[in-house]
Structure formats: C-alpha cells, structure tokens
Amino acid sequence: MIDTPSSSLDKQPIGNVKDTPSIKDSTTLPPAKVVADDQEHDHPIHPLAQLSSPRKNFLLFIFSVATFVDICNVSGAAVAVAEISMDIKLGVSQVVWIITSYSLCFAAFLLFAGRLSDLFPAQIVFEAGFLSLGIISLITSFVTSSKYGFLVLRGLGGICGAMTIPSAFHLVVHMFPNTEQQQKKLALMSLAGGLGNVLGLVLAGLCMEASYKWFFRLIAIICTTFTIATIILLPYTGSSYSTKHDAIPRWRRMDVPGVILMMGSLICFILALTQGPIDGWDSASFIAPLVISVPLGIAFFFWESRIPPRTAVLPSSIWKITNIIILSLAVMVAFPFWATSQLAYSTWWQEVYGWSPLHVAAAMLPQGIVCLLAAAFAQAVPQVLTKPRWTIAGGMILIVIAEILQIFSDGGPGNKYWRFCFPAFVIGSFGAMLVYFASGINIVTYGPPEMAGVMGAWVNVLAQVAGAITMAVQAGLQDTTSVPPKWSKSGSRTWYFMIAWTVVLAMQFVVFYKEPGTPEEEHELARKRILEKDGDIGV
C-alpha cells in the first residue's frame, strides 16, 4: 500500500500558497494565507530541520518502522486468521472481522488523525499512537476467550495505528524541508509499507511456529521500543497551529461530528455486509445496519459541504480538483486484490490442506516481492505516473487476467499452485501496484500542494475501505454447506465478483478521464474554482 504525505497540510500552504502570484496578489487574500505568510517569516527554519543528519535519518527509520507495523497488522493477520478464528470461535463468514475490525477503524480515524497532527504537537500524536498500539497489541495476545473482546481490541489498535501515519509524515516534511530531499525520504516510508506487506506474512508465519499470540507480542515489543527511542531523540517543538490571525477555535477545527458520522456509516455498512450471509439477507441484523448506514453517509457529506472547508475533516473543496472522482474510484481496485487473495488462500491452505503458517507465508511471498519490483519499475519509467490513463487501464487488465487464473486454480493443490496461483500473484500484484501508484500519486500531484495532507489521507481511506467492503462481500460468498468446502463454491465466487468490480471501475476511468494540464496549471484552476465557491483556498 502506498503511504502518501497525509499530514503535510499545515506545512505545504506556507510555501505553495505564498509563492502563487495569482493568489498572493489577490485583493481578497483569505485569512489562512495571512497566517501562512506570518508563520513563514517568524520561523524561516523549523527546529526539526536543524537536527543533525544521523539523528534525522534514525527518526526517519522509526517513522518507517511505524508504517511497516501498520501494514503488518493487516497482512500478518491474514496468515493467522484460521488459527485465531478457531481459538476465539468465529464462524466461517465472520473471520473477515479479524482483518476488517483493524483496517476499518484505521481508515475511519485516518482523516481525524491528520487533523490532530495539524492542530496539536505532531510528536505527541505519534508517540501516543505508537505506544498505545504496543500496549493494545500486548493485551490482544492474552484476550482469546472472547471474540468480541478480541475484535474490539483490534479496532482500537486500528485507531492507534492511524495516529502514527499522518503525524509521521507531518514530522518528516518539517525535518526535510528541501523538496527533492523530502520526496526521497517520503519514498523510503512508502517502501516500508511495501516491505510490511511482504515481511508481515513471514513474521506472522515465524511467530505462529509457537503461537499466533507471539505475533501480537512482537508488535508490542517493536512499538514500545521505538516509542522510547522517539521520546529520547525527537525534541518537543509544540504545535504549528496559530490563532493569531484565525478566529476559528481549535476545537471547532477537529470536526468531531464529521468523524462520528463517517465512522458510524462505515461500521454499519460493513456490519450489514458481514451479517447478511450469516443470518440471511432478509434478517434484521442485515437490514437494520444497512438502513442506518445510508442516512449517516449522506449526513456526513452534507455536513462536510455546509461547514467552512478549513474546519472540515474532508473539505468539500477537494471535489473541485480535476479527475478527483474517477481517480478515487480507481484507487479502490488495487488493495482489494491483495486483501481478498491473501485472506482466501491463507485460510484455504491451512484449513483444507493443513499447511503450516510459515508454508502459507512462503507461498504468498511472490505478491509482496513483485510489489517491490513494480515500485522500482515506476521509479525507472516516469511514464507510469505521467500517463495514468494507460497505466491504470493496463494494470486493471493484468488484475483481471490474475483473477481468471485464480478461478481455475482449485485452491492451488499440487502443481496447480505453479500453473495458476504463482502467475496470478505475479501478474496481479504487478498490475495492482501500477494502478495504485498511478491513481494515488496523481490524486496527490494534481491537488493543490496546500491540500496534500487531505489528499494523502483520502487515498489511504479509499484503499482501506475498498479492502473492507470486498472482503465482507467475499465472506458472504463462502460455501458453508459442503464438507469439505468446494473451491468452485467458495474461492471462485470471489474472483468472479472481483472481475466485475475491476471491470466496472476500469470502464468508468477510461470513459470519463480528462487529459489534464501540467500540475501547476491544474493547481491554479483548482484554486480558482475553490475560491469562486468557498471564498478561501479550502484548508
């Protein structure tokens, strides 16, 4: 998964808004830009930028470790779901909650965590989130007698994990203010996320040689150790938020109502999709949360459109950016491919074939390794990012080919792993990574730089929510009548659904994509549209 600079919100306006002639010379300069100019002169060099290079690089390593851990909590859990579900007595269709309870809360809280990092000292947000994730992981390893307690703790862990991502990007942006150097450092953090997707499987497999509980205990040790190192090495610099020229109180800019509406809508929606196949599509446990989720979702977007953009957790001004809607939908293709395939095969291999978790992790490794190769390919071939129409269309074709191969894999027995699963993992992961790079990075690139924090958080939210939705649908398609289960009635159904999901999102992108101008031209056009509608820049 790509991690984008989701908390550079209050850094970016300082340089980019101020240096834009059409905005600076305007006679109706919004208050937000006055604050930015004032802060630029008061603090020409951020204290974090003055740290020694070894100290900054080690802190960057810690922030990368936090990114690594967040991805491990998803990919590692995919290997352990079979053992965990038996231990805490989850039904076949309920095992998806072992992953979605974490990823859903992570996604729902991410935008709010970015807001906290902008309004309060980012180092406190990071340290609190990282340490809390360690403590909760340790407690989780001992709560195996109650499925509800386990799933609640996983959700709390997702909230804590969300606190580390935007705050880490916020701190890195200030530590490395030079644009070229900053991009390289942020790329290293993104690489850590890719490594988490690979090594999370291996770490979980190794830990499960003893017990899956040691996976959570290892996470606890990592979080606690590096939190202590952060407290020692990272100086307290306070908050970058200032009320000198802004009459809006800090508490109003946290947008608590928006966060509550968004989390409520997402949780009810996924709960409905999960409970439908268990209790029936005409049951109250499906209909009630679905009915509740719809008005909550509508209320969220209505609320965000009515409040001042600078106080919104998801400013309505982002919809003024070229191609934002179709690119957002394209982002929702890649992560579901990894999530559904890892969950389906890791569970099938352990429960049907009796494979060990370490064996499962080794069989899944091609997915993660190819992701790293795709990332290197994107760096070597700039057209991957500058020609998104062809990159995204081509990547989606590769994903469809991979899904077709998985239909005929029969779960990968014998040489069918090498004939179907292995090429599907290689082809599909390469395509998914290209799609994710092209869509996610173009969302951030073509949004005005002063909105980079919002755009980066939005990309991560879309990826997590898409994975949660598709895994919930996958759970509803599982065969619970045959003993042993049949691949044609379980796994294959998932891939037919994923083919339809991918094709629909690919078609909307190819049909509606508009060839944009240069990023600078698009920034100006977006700013103009935002100013005409909202009267300020929107952050």
Side-chain angles (χ1 to χ4, degrees), residues 84-398:
I84 294 173
S85 62
M86 288 187 291
D87 200 7
I88 64 176
K89 298 177 177 59
L90 282 177
V92 174
S93 297
Q94 293 176 317
V95 297
V96 67
W97 278 103
I98 295 173
I99 296 175
T100 55
S101 57
Y102 180 93
S103 60
L104 185 60
C105 291
F106 178 89
F109 199 76
L110 191 62
L111 288 168
F112 185 57
R115 179 68 65 186
L116 289 177
S117 300
D118 290 335
L119 298 179
F120 299 94
Q123 55 266 64
I124 300 299
V125 177
F126 177 84
E127 292 161 3
F130 210 20
L131 180 61
S132 298
L133 179 58
I135 294 172
I136 289 174
S137 297
L138 181 61
I139 298 173
T140 302
S141 70
F142 291 100
V143 179
T144 58
S145 59
S146 169
K147 63 181 179 182
Y148 299 108
F150 183 91
L151 296 178
V152 167
L153 286 169
R154 283 284 288 168
L156 292 175
I159 291 175
C160 294
M163 292 175 65
T164 65
I165 297 298
S167 55
F169 276 107
H170 179 109
L171 293 166
V172 169
V173 164
H174 284 85
M175 281 198 302
F176 302 99
N178 178 270
T179 302
E180 183 177 353
Q181 187 184 33
Q182 184 184 108
Q183 291 176 343
K184 292 180 179 179
K185 303 302 182 182
L186 293 173
L188 291 176
M189 289 184 63
S190 297
L191 177 61
L195 290 174
N197 195 39
V198 181
L199 298 182
L201 301 169
V202 178
L203 285 179
L206 290 172
C207 291
M208 288 178 65
E209 289 298 301
S211 169
Y212 74 86
K213 300 172 186 177
W214 280 103
F215 172 70
F216 294 106
R217 290 167 189 169
L218 178 61
I219 295 293
I221 293 171
I222 293 173
C223 293
T224 304
T225 302
F226 284 103
T227 299
I228 294 173
T230 307
I231 293 172
I232 295 172
L233 295 174
L234 185 62
Y236 178 79
T237 57
S239 171
S240 57
Y241 175 80
S242 172
T243 58
K244 181 186 291 187
H245 301 288
D246 196 341
I248 301 177
R250 191 183 329 219
W251 65 268
R252 283 188 56 193
R253 296 189 65 173
M254 293 172 65
D255 192 14
V256 175
V259 173
I260 293 174
L261 289 171
M262 177 176 62
M263 292 186 69
S265 177
L266 288 174
I267 291 172
C268 288
F269 182 64
I270 302 300
L271 177 62
L273 291 179
T274 304
Q275 291 301 121
I278 300 173
D279 300 329
W281 300 109
D282 57 350
S283 64
S285 60
F286 166 72
I287 297 174
L290 181 65
V291 170
I292 294 173
S293 69
V294 173
L296 284 178
I298 296 173
F300 168 72
F301 286 103
F302 178 78
W303 168 262
E304 297 298 290
S305 69
R306 302 301 296 175
I307 63 176
R310 284 185 293 138
T311 69
V313 71
L314 182 65
S316 58
S317 50
I318 73 166
W319 310 119
K320 299 296 181 181
I321 297 169
T322 302
N323 291 323
I324 182 63
I325 295 178
I326 60 172
L327 282 171
S328 296
L329 293 173
V331 168
M332 302 179 75
V333 170
F335 196 78
F337 169 79
W338 294 310
T340 53
S341 60
Q342 287 181 1
L343 179 62
Y345 282 106
S346 62
T347 305
W348 186 267
W349 289 337
Q350 292 178 80
E351 293 185 347
V352 178
Y353 300 150
W355 287 12
S356 70
L358 192 58
H359 189 178
V360 172
M364 282 290 184
L365 267 180
Q367 280 198 358
I369 294 174
V370 170
C371 286
L372 298 180
L373 295 177
F377 178 74
Q379 294 290 328
V381 183
Q383 289 79 6
V384 169
L385 303 179
T386 59
K387 304 292 184 181
R389 181 192 292 274
W390 303 108
T391 301
I392 293 176
M396 289 185 178
I397 290 173
L398 293 178

Side-chain angles (χ1 to χ4, degrees), residues 372-526:
L372 298 180
L373 295 177
F377 178 74
Q379 294 290 328
V381 183
Q383 289 79 6
V384 169
L385 303 179
T386 59
K387 304 292 184 181
R389 181 192 292 274
W390 303 108
T391 301
I392 293 176
M396 289 185 178
I397 290 173
L398 293 178
I399 293 173
V400 171
I401 293 173
E403 303 291 6
I404 293 173
L405 288 171
Q406 291 181 120
I407 290 174
F408 296 101
S409 70
D410 289 331
N415 66 355
K416 285 193 174 182
Y417 171 83
W418 296 105
R419 290 172 57 195
F420 296 102
C421 296
F422 181 81
F425 291 167
V426 171
I427 295 171
S429 288
F430 192 83
M433 199 65 176
L434 293 184
V435 171
Y436 201 85
F437 263 124
S439 56
I441 291 179
N442 273 276
I443 285 178
V444 177
T445 300
Y446 282 95
E450 59 271 16
M451 298 181 69
V454 174
M455 308 311 296
W458 181 237
V459 169
N460 281 278
V461 168
L462 290 169
Q464 295 292 334
V465 170
I469 292 174
T470 51
M471 283 192 293
V473 174
Q474 179 184 35
L477 297 175
Q478 297 304 298
D479 176 27
T480 58
T481 59
S482 303
V483 181
K486 297 180 180 179
W487 183 258
S488 60
K489 294 184 178 181
S490 292
S492 293
R493 291 176 176 177
T494 298
W495 315 135
Y496 284 119
F497 162 72
M498 286 302 300
I499 289 172
W501 173 277
T502 305
V503 169
V504 170
L505 294 180
M507 290 179 61
Q508 67 85 28
F509 179 81
V510 172
V511 172
F512 296 107
Y513 180 78
K514 298 178 181 179
E515 198 66 39
T518 65
E520 292 75 16
E521 293 171 344
E522 292 299 328
H523 296 165
E524 283 300 309
L525 291 173

